[in-house]
Amino acid sequence: MRDLLNPAMPFIAVTVAVAAGLVLSWLLRRIVLRLNRKRPGLRTASRVARQPLRLALCLVGVRAALGLTAAHESWHAAVDHFLLIGLISSLAWLAVAVLLILEAVVLDRYSVDVADNRRARRLRTQTILARRIGVALVVVIAAGSVMLTFPAIQALGAGLLASAGVISIVAGLAVQTSLVNVFAGMQLAFTDAIRVDDVVVVQKEWGRIEEITLTYVVVHIWDDRRLILPSTYFTTTPFENWTRRQSAVMGTVEFDLDWRAPVEDMRAELRRVLADTDLWDGRVGILQITDATGGFVRVRILVSAADSAALFDLRCLIREAMVTFLQQGHPESLPHQRWEKYDGGTSSRQGLERRPDRGESQLFTGSLEAVERSRAFSGPGEEVFEDRDKHLAARN
């Protein structure tokens, strides 16, 4: 009987080890979910770790079982080596799964579906990049560990895992374009230059940051095109970030009109249009003449909105309303190129008798908000100017 059981002992031990690994993985997952029962999203996120956890525990049990029951067998060394490689791979898979779970938990906690989501978008961008960097490190460490199991290439594996070896490899390859983009991607993530969902203007295209990877950035253009740029573009080329500090922006609508344009009537029409729309955020609504050359006067309307999308629609609305207003009520103000004899009539002097409301015609003066706005463009102050002069004098 003992002669029959001895050859079967490794198979029996392996079966028991696999069963024990499956039961233990089930218990561990139940315990983790019980301890975090206040986080319902963790149950869904933790599913990615079930298979690697089962595989790792089963491989640990199988190695231990064969070591106890078949250590003297000729085939044990080769099978044990194969199981060791599988165990390293399964542990790497499990580590990647844990990183994915942590990412899901963080992203679920800091939602971007709120009005003021600047901090959430920053954490989202940094979390995604950190997960990708972590996955890359796990793969490198796993590959080096597998190399260490082969005596012929142990030196290569040890050099890959050693900190000095890793630094020298990265420094030596950093001159390559791909790794330059990798370092640029890390810089973008942790210097907070751009975040996922930031509204930007790159290469004269308006869109939002849809994805940031270690090597490239995907910009979702307003017309549903995707502009894919290397990470180095955002570290070496100037670009516009419309949501760097806040989403509220200002924009202009310009008209080249005849000198008889009714400026005060246009201001009244602008007030009416702004009062009737929810696109305007109530901060800025100003009409000014910014130029008067070449036979035309340039009328510029400056308005503000809560975000760039609302601003686009608001500018279009004002442009259409003003064009209709001038066509129907003041066709003489439309652009003309002509020669005419001045008859000295009084119609042109009637507009001069109406004094403009300075509070609605000036951007940087005439109201408390305008004065406050002008302070942002008055420079750092006299004390800073004096310090700079002293510094220059000391250098000379």
Side-chain angles (χ1 to χ4, degrees):
M1 188 68 177
R2 182 176 297 178
D3 295 337
L4 294 175
L5 289 177
N6 285 339
M9 283 300 296
F11 300 100
I12 298 174
V14 167
T15 303
V16 174
V18 170
L22 294 175
V23 173
L24 183 58
S25 66
W26 180 80
L27 287 175
L28 286 176
R29 186 167 183 269
R30 296 293 295 179
I31 292 173
V32 171
L33 292 178
R34 179 62 62 86
L35 294 176
N36 295 273
R37 57 183 177 273
K38 294 183 179 180
R39 297 178 179 177
L42 185 63
R43 178 178 295 275
T44 303
S46 64
R47 292 176 181 174
V48 298
R50 285 190 298 181
Q51 297 300 332
L53 179 61
R54 290 172 181 173
L55 181 59
L57 292 177
C58 289
L59 289 175
V60 170
V62 169
R63 284 198 71 205
L66 291 180
L68 294 175
T69 59
H72 59 281
E73 299 292 343
S74 59
W75 49 266
H76 177 264
V79 173
D80 186 69
H81 187 203
F82 177 77
L83 293 175
L84 179 59
I85 295 175
L87 179 59
I88 294 173
S89 302
S90 63
L91 290 176
W93 184 10
L94 180 61
V96 171
V98 171
L99 291 176
L100 292 173
I101 293 173
L102 293 176
E103 178 191 30
V105 171
V106 173
L107 296 184
D108 182 67
R109 180 176 180 181
Y110 296 97
S111 175
V112 297
D113 298 329
V114 294
D116 187 10
N117 58 4
R118 185 167 61 90
R119 182 169 179 267
R121 288 188 291 109
R122 182 187 67 213
L123 292 175
R124 180 186 181 88
T125 302
Q126 293 178 350
T127 300
I128 293 174
L129 265 296
R131 188 261 301 167
R132 288 172 176 164
I133 294 172
V135 170
L137 292 176
V138 168
V139 171
V140 171
I141 293 174
S145 301
V146 170
M147 291 180 184
L148 287 175
T149 64
F150 295 93
I153 55 175
Q154 280 186 356
L156 179 60
L160 184 61
L161 285 179
S163 59
V166 172
I167 294 175
S168 63
I169 290 173
V170 172
L173 296 178
V175 294
Q176 302 298 323
T177 303
S178 58
L179 283 184
V180 169
N181 282 322
V182 170
F183 288 121
M186 296 171 59
Q187 180 180 348
L188 290 177
F190 296 102
T191 58
D192 203 25
I194 56 174
R195 313 181 190 98
V196 175
D197 290 333
D198 265 345
V199 178
V200 296
V201 177
V202 291
Q203 297 186 351
K204 298 182 180 181
E205 296 284 0
W206 173 58
R208 69 176 183 87
I209 302 296
E210 184 176 55
E211 184 180 4
I212 302 176
T213 71
L214 287 177
T215 56
Y216 63 89
V217 177
V218 180
V219 181
H220 185 182
I221 305 301
W222 65 273
D223 56 1
D224 281 343
R225 290 177 295 145
R226 264 56 175 190
L227 184 63
I228 300 177
L229 299 167
S231 299
T232 52
Y233 178 89
F234 293 91
T235 59
T236 59
T237 307
F239 63 95
E240 297 181 26
N241 189 338
W242 289 12
T243 53
R244 180 69 174 85
R245 298 293 299 273
Q246 60 182 3
S247 60
V249 288
M250 294 189 295
T252 61
V253 180
E254 293 186 332
F255 300 92
D256 285 337
L257 302 175
D258 193 85
W259 286 70
R260 294 175 294 179
V263 177
E264 287 303 315
D265 291 343
M266 293 180 66
R267 287 197 178 104
E269 178 66 12
L270 175 63
R271 288 194 295 269
R272 186 193 67 79
V273 173
L274 293 178
D276 292 341
T277 180
D278 295 331
L279 298 173
W280 186 48
D281 64 358
R283 292 188 300 122
V284 179
I286 297 173
L287 186 148
Q288 295 176 307
I289 295 180
T290 59
D291 203 355
T293 58
F296 302 102
V297 293
R298 176 158 297 175
V299 177
R300 188 185 71 171
I301 298 174
L302 180 65
V303 291
S304 61
D307 53 56
S308 57
L311 178 64
F312 179 84
D313 287 341
L314 178 61
R315 292 169 64 192
C316 293
L317 174 65
I318 292 174
R319 189 178 294 111
E320 294 173 3
M322 284 298 178
V323 168
T324 303
F325 171 74
L326 294 175
Q327 286 177 338
Q328 296 178 353
H330 301 275
E332 73 281 358
S333 64
L334 298 178
H336 294 87
Q337 290 184 351
R338 64 193 183 279
W339 291 94
E340 63 179 358
K341 182 180 178 181
Y342 176 65
D343 58 1
T346 60
S347 60
S348 61
R349 291 193 295 268
Q350 292 176 355
L352 298 176
E353 298 174 358
R354 302 177 60 181
R355 299 180 60 84
D357 187 347
R358 297 301 179 186
E360 296 181 352
S361 63
Q362 298 177 180
L363 179 60
F364 296 108
T365 56
S367 64
L368 293 177
E369 293 81 2
V371 173
E372 187 68 24
R373 191 180 302 117
S374 69
R375 292 175 181 173
F377 296 93
S378 61
E382 293 297 331
E383 295 181 358
V384 177
F385 295 149
E386 293 177 1
D387 289 340
R388 288 176 178 173
D389 293 338
K390 292 179 181 179
H391 180 68
L392 292 175
R395 291 179 58 184
N396 296 330

